[in-house]
Amino acid sequence: LIDFKDGRHFSRFSQPLVQNGIVTGRVWSFGDITMQKKAEEGLKDAKEVAEFANKAKTNFLAHISHEIRTPLNAILGMNEVLRESDLSTEQHKHLQISKNAGETLLALINDVLDLSKIEAGQIDLSIIDFNLYKLIENTADMQILAGHEKGIDFDVDLDPELPMHVKGDPD
């Protein structure tokens, strides 16, 4: 590689010149690789910018998810206080849907953090036994309420062959 003061870069290559089986000299070839070098430097700069942006995104996600989790935990706590008060059956049902929605939102926030962990190669999946029917029912309850507010009927029909208890990560 030959670097010139004016910023140009040339590659060089040589091989022996052989005549009648005797090396009589060398053949040199030169190529202007200035544009290639600039492209490589541009890629290096872009990679550094992307790595910085990715780190900033990861830090932001961790910070914002923590800031959202704190008031959400307070909401879920107040939900539990309300559940212990004298409420009608319908109010208890609505409160249970609210609790399930809050827990789902909390799980989604944790998933955002998990996404950051995946990108950093630090994810751990929970492998636990859970009731698949209950998970689907809780999810459906939130959708039914949202659909009802928009005049949409929503129902879940589960295949009887579907196992009730499964092992995996319910989040």
Side-chain angles (χ1 to χ4, degrees):
L1 182 67
I2 303 171
D3 296 319
F4 291 93
K5 289 182 182 179
D6 65 1
R8 292 179 300 148
H9 304 280
F10 279 76
S11 65
R12 63 181 176 190
F13 176 76
S14 73
Q15 65 182 41
L17 176 62
V18 180
Q19 293 178 331
N20 298 326
I22 300 170
V23 176
T24 59
R26 293 197 73 75
V27 176
W28 288 87
S29 62
F30 298 88
D32 187 348
I33 59 168
T34 304
M35 296 304 288
Q36 178 183 340
K37 289 298 263 181
K38 285 184 180 181
E40 288 171 2
E41 289 170 10
L43 283 174
K44 180 182 172 199
D45 292 345
K47 182 179 182 249
E48 288 173 0
V49 167
E51 287 171 350
F52 177 79
N54 190 44
K55 187 173 182 178
K57 179 194 73 172
T58 299
N59 289 339
F60 171 77
L61 289 175
H63 177 74
I64 197 70
S65 62
H66 172 74
E67 294 299 321
I68 293 170
R69 232 185 324 198
T70 301
L72 184 55
N73 279 323
I75 292 168
L76 289 171
M78 289 307 297
N79 189 305
E80 286 302 312
V81 170
L82 279 173
R83 286 178 59 136
E84 295 172 8
S85 63
D86 189 25
L87 300 173
S88 70
T89 303
E90 186 174 339
Q91 288 172 323
H92 272 288
K93 182 179 178 189
H94 291 294
L95 204 53
Q96 183 63 41
I97 292 170
S98 173
K99 177 185 181 218
N100 292 343
E103 289 173 346
T104 299
L105 182 56
L106 192 57
L108 288 172
I109 292 166
N110 287 332
D111 287 348
V112 168
L113 281 178
D114 288 345
L115 182 61
S116 296
K117 289 178 182 178
I118 288 170
E119 290 176 350
Q122 301 171 343
I123 186 66
D124 291 320
L125 292 177
S126 300
I127 305 299
I128 60 172
D129 292 321
F130 66 95
N131 185 320
L132 183 59
Y133 282 42
K134 194 70 172 167
L135 178 67
I136 293 170
E137 179 184 304
N138 291 343
T139 304
D141 282 346
M142 288 183 288
Q143 300 309 314
I144 289 169
L145 184 61
H148 180 73
E149 292 172 353
K150 296 179 181 181
I152 299 171
D153 287 332
F154 181 88
D155 192 23
V156 175
D157 185 25
L158 298 176
D159 185 330
E161 298 293 318
L162 189 67
M164 181 181 292
H165 296 283
V166 295
K167 185 179 287 270
D169 190 328
D171 294 331

